[in-house]
Amino acid sequence: MELEKVTVSYGKGETATQALAEVSLRAGEGDFIALVGPSGCGKSTILKLVGDLLKATSGNVFVAGREVGAQDVRIGMAFQNPTLLPWLTIRDNVMLPLKIVQPFRADWRQKRKTEYRDRAEALLAKVGLKDFGSKFPWQLSGGMQQRASLCRALIHDPNLLLLDEPFGALDQFTREELWGILQTLWIDTKPTVLLVTHDLRESAFLANRIVVMSARPGRILVDEPVAFARPRT
Ligand code: ADP
């Protein structure tokens, strides 16, 4: 994933807000980057650019060596709120990305619905939601919903995982429990991760690099490896 001198302005003329000013950032395969900085410094804007939800005003955004938007790049996302679809069961919510990706992947087009189900159930079991696949989101606690949304972000085996304060709405105990779960899930496939967070302990626990931004307009101040990160096996 690479941003090359990316500038983003929201709006035009006198009322325009410059959210990012010539930001360059590179994440290699298996990098786990924590993106921190004051509110409004452009962290979410970076995730939107990389997730192809927003076009840069100038500069380039590449994912897997190509302009963002290529069909065979799989991106998983999770946000502060679990954003599960209320009319689908937990299992169907988790399976959703597979259905969306299916037309673009020859190897998955042949798969039957039962294979999708098995994959979803296996992932749910890993995060401690073995018996909750048939329930609806409102029947689960916030922390459980957030686990399910992590499963949904990972089910299609993404190359890139974009997490925008995924644990921000949770109490400290649940949050720390989910750090361990995210780390376990991450170790399976080691996607490149951009994690927006305000929690420095979370950054140190999960990330191998911390990128600190400043606001008005958004710039990168610091980009350093986390020397004290726990060894990963
Ligand atoms: P962060 O995620 O670090 O809080 P954002 O990327 O959300 O920062 O926002 C960066 C700047 O861009 C802020 O000044 C914000 O007000 C502005 N901004 C974000 N989204 C929009 C939008 N859709 N329209 C206008 N301004 C926006």
Side-chain angles (χ1 to χ4, degrees), residues 14-71:
E14 302 239 314
T15 55
T17 309
Q18 194 176 12
L20 295 177
E22 301 218 331
V23 167
S24 295
L25 176 67
R26 217 187 135 93
E29 256 176 70
D31 255 342
F32 196 131
I33 293 184
L35 211 47
V36 305
S39 187
C41 69
K43 305 180 293 296
S44 300
T45 298
I46 288 182
L47 293 200
K48 284 182 206 159
L49 288 166
V50 177
D52 199 24
L53 301 171
L54 177 74
K55 292 281 171 235
T57 309
S58 67
N60 299 305
V61 181
F62 300 103
V63 175
R66 277 171 307 136
E67 292 260 347
V68 70
Q71 282 183 344

Side-chain angles (χ1 to χ4, degrees), residues 19 45-46 91 104 114 125 162 167 169 187 204 221:
T45 298
I46 288 182
R91 185 190 305 113
F104 306 106
T114 50
L162 304 177
F167 313 127
I187 279 169
L221 285 180

Side-chain angles (χ1 to χ4, degrees), residues 163-181:
L163 305 173
D164 201 343
E165 291 191 62
F167 313 127
L170 303 173
D171 64 86
Q172 191 65 28
F173 180 79
T174 310
R175 186 183 301 186
E176 294 189 15
E177 198 182 356
L178 287 194
W179 295 350
I181 286 172

